Amino acid sequence: MKITKLTTYIVPPRWLFLKVETDEGIVGWGEPVVEGRALTVQAAVHELEDYLIGKDPFLIEDHWTVMYRGGFYRGGAVHMSAISGIDQALWDIKGKALGQPIHSLLGGQLRDRIKVYSWIGGDRPSDVANNAKEVVAQGFKAIKLNGCEEMQIVDTNEKVEKAVETIAAIREAIGPHIGIGVDFHGRVHKPMAKVLAKELDPYKLMFIEEPVLSENKEALRDIVNHTSTPIALGERLFSRWDFKQVLSDGYVDIIQPDLSHAGGITECRKIAAMAEAYDVALAPHCPLGPIALAACLQVDAVSYNAFIQEQSLGIHYNKGNDILDYISNKEVFHYADGFVSIPQGPGLGIEVDEAYVIERAKEGHRWRNPIWRHADGSFAEW
């Protein structure tokens, strides 16, 4: 079997899909994208295509190594996201050719399903308590929301109080036993992160996510001394080398590699195993489409330390299209009792509706994240 063609589709709301074809008619799908940089990643995929055409798609480890190491310059969001989508598609081809789900080829599943959480609210956490109650009524046992609005390096107590009031209202609305993940989104710098982490402790959160930007990870040393809440991060780390110091420093309780950013199934499997050796939990980042979610579930299936999976069904970013729109076997993501089942079909286990993908690619997108500014006019992290 040989790889014959790579085709990319930029589709709403903000995704990039990849189809890899072979001379035996078996097709694999991947989702290589950086949110807001889809066109750039698309170009990177087609640069890697030059090497892949004519190669055996089964040699995934070798192809990954060459794509990562063979260009001299390596790593980063764009390069690793391009590799991620190609890697997903190659695993999809191999699974389909052998008639096995990818998790079977990775050693076999050790769980039948995994807990999921649902996003509530939007970019600015306000009036979210009712939304939280609605999500819990749908059966979700865990939720996540953005924990604060823009916050300067040293900001006011009013901003802190507003964030705390939001979380307090949610906890009161949904009771003591539903998990709440609070995403600081890297909006907060160390001085205020210490304050917020301490103030939120009484609400017994499931985790605090990205309390500071990953490039400021040394600040975690101080933050962990102000809270008993588990600390999560990792969506802006792109390889096992990026995660190496995070794990060895010992300040993070949950890692969140993104299977469309951090090297795909091949690399995230290794990152998960590294984390397990440090007794760190796995909760893959995935506010993306159905291909990315299917890839995450393959790694969740074989990773002992996986405990919860992000998924984007109904997320506020999904304007115009949602994750089920692009697949024919919509039942594959079977949600029940706050869990989603592990797909059992060959490859990724999803059937991409290619005709619909082509139709929506005619519209495409140029999604960009918002640009925020503080009251003084300076740039604010979104």
Side-chain angles (χ1 to χ4, degrees):
M1 190 188 299
K2 304 296 180 187
I3 298 169
T4 57
K5 187 178 181 182
L6 280 71
T7 307
T8 50
Y9 303 95
I10 292 179
V11 296
R14 56 176 191 162
W15 302 332
L16 173 65
F17 293 167
L18 165 67
K19 180 177 73 169
V20 177
E21 298 178 60
T22 68
D23 59 354
E24 294 189 11
I26 298 175
V27 169
W29 289 88
E31 193 168 334
V33 70
V34 174
E35 300 92 304
R37 297 289 184 270
L39 289 166
T40 316
V41 179
Q42 182 181 48
V45 168
H46 290 297
E47 288 178 334
L48 294 168
E49 176 184 22
D50 296 344
Y51 172 77
L52 293 166
I53 297 298
K55 299 293 193 300
D56 179 353
F58 274 31
L59 302 179
I60 299 171
E61 192 72 39
D62 184 59
H63 297 329
W64 197 100
T65 300
V66 172
M67 288 189 292
Y68 179 77
R69 298 180 183 273
F72 187 76
Y73 299 103
R74 58 192 65 169
V78 171
H79 181 203
M80 295 304 288
S81 296
I83 291 174
S84 297
I86 293 169
D87 181 81
Q88 293 166 5
L90 296 181
W91 277 107
D92 195 28
I93 289 169
K94 192 164 191 174
K96 288 173 179 174
L98 298 175
Q100 293 291 322
I102 293 166
H103 54 75
S104 179
L105 306 182
L106 294 173
Q109 68 187 61
L110 51 73
R111 59 173 51 84
D112 302 318
R113 58 183 188 160
I114 188 165
K115 194 174 184 179
V116 288
Y117 61 79
S118 177
W119 270 89
I120 62 168
D123 283 324
R124 298 181 182 273
S126 58
D127 194 27
V128 291
N130 286 335
N131 193 350
K133 289 170 69 175
E134 292 169 4
V135 166
V136 171
Q138 294 168 17
F140 286 96
K141 299 293 193 296
I143 60 172
K144 189 170 87 170
L145 77 157
N146 285 313
C148 63
E149 299 181 7
E150 63 268 36
M151 189 166 284
Q152 285 187 293
I153 188 165
V154 176
D155 216 315
T156 63
N157 286 330
E158 181 183 6
K159 287 276 189 75
V160 174
E161 289 168 3
K162 186 174 181 181
V164 173
E165 285 170 8
T166 300
I167 304 306
I170 292 170
R171 177 54 79 201
E172 183 178 359
I174 63 177
H177 303 306
I178 300 296
I180 302 175
V182 174
D183 189 354
F184 285 6
H185 223 244
R187 296 170 182 170
V188 186
H189 300 268
K190 182 173 77 167
M192 302 310 297
K194 292 192 296 184
V195 175
L196 269 171
K198 184 176 182 179
E199 291 295 321
L200 291 174
D201 236 13
Y203 303 101
K204 301 189 183 304
L205 304 178
M206 182 170 58
F207 56 76
I208 292 173
E209 180 174 338
E210 277 200 322
V212 292
L213 291 166
S214 293
E215 55 261 39
N216 298 327
K217 55 185 174 288
E218 68 281 351
L220 297 172
R221 176 191 57 213
D222 297 325
I223 295 168
V224 297
N225 292 323
H226 289 76
T227 181
S228 61
T229 303
I231 302 295
L233 62 77
E235 69 191 67
R236 287 185 266 198
L237 301 176
F238 307 114
S239 71
R240 74 197 93 143
W241 296 279
D242 286 351
F243 278 94
K244 181 167 62 172
Q245 185 181 348
V246 166
L247 293 170
S248 64
D249 283 350
Y251 301 127
V252 172
D253 305 291
I254 303 161
I255 58 161
Q256 300 169 305
D258 188 309
L259 271 81
S260 283
H261 300 335
I265 291 168
T266 297
E267 184 72 350
C268 288
R269 173 76 165 112
K270 296 173 183 178
I271 293 168
M274 286 173 62
E276 184 182 350
Y278 284 93
D279 207 21
V280 169
L282 175 70
H285 180 255
C286 190
L288 297 170
I291 303 169
L293 178 57
C296 287
L297 294 174
Q298 304 299 323
V299 172
D300 291 330
V302 298
S303 300
Y304 173 77
N305 52 335
F307 82 102
I308 201 164
Q309 177 60 57
E310 181 173 24
Q311 53 83 43
S312 74
L313 187 63
I315 198 172
H316 49 288
Y317 301 123
N318 292 353
K319 306 294 186 184
N321 281 109
D322 214 323
I323 61 172
L324 299 182
D325 296 342
Y326 290 103
I327 57 175
S328 302
N329 58 335
K330 302 181 191 304
E331 73 287 348
V332 67
F333 299 130
H334 177 63
Y335 294 89
D337 301 321
F339 289 79
V340 65
S341 298
I342 302 297
Q344 298 300 314
L348 288 168
I350 57 172
E351 298 168 8
V352 174
D353 185 343
E354 185 173 354
Y356 188 69
V357 169
I358 293 170
E359 177 187 335
R360 297 301 288 140
K362 294 174 183 176
E363 176 179 329
H365 69 84
R366 291 184 70 86
W367 187 87
R368 299 290 184 268
N369 63 256
I371 301 299
W372 286 4
R373 293 191 180 274
H374 295 297
D376 63 5
S378 62
F379 175 82
E381 293 284 351
W382 171 72

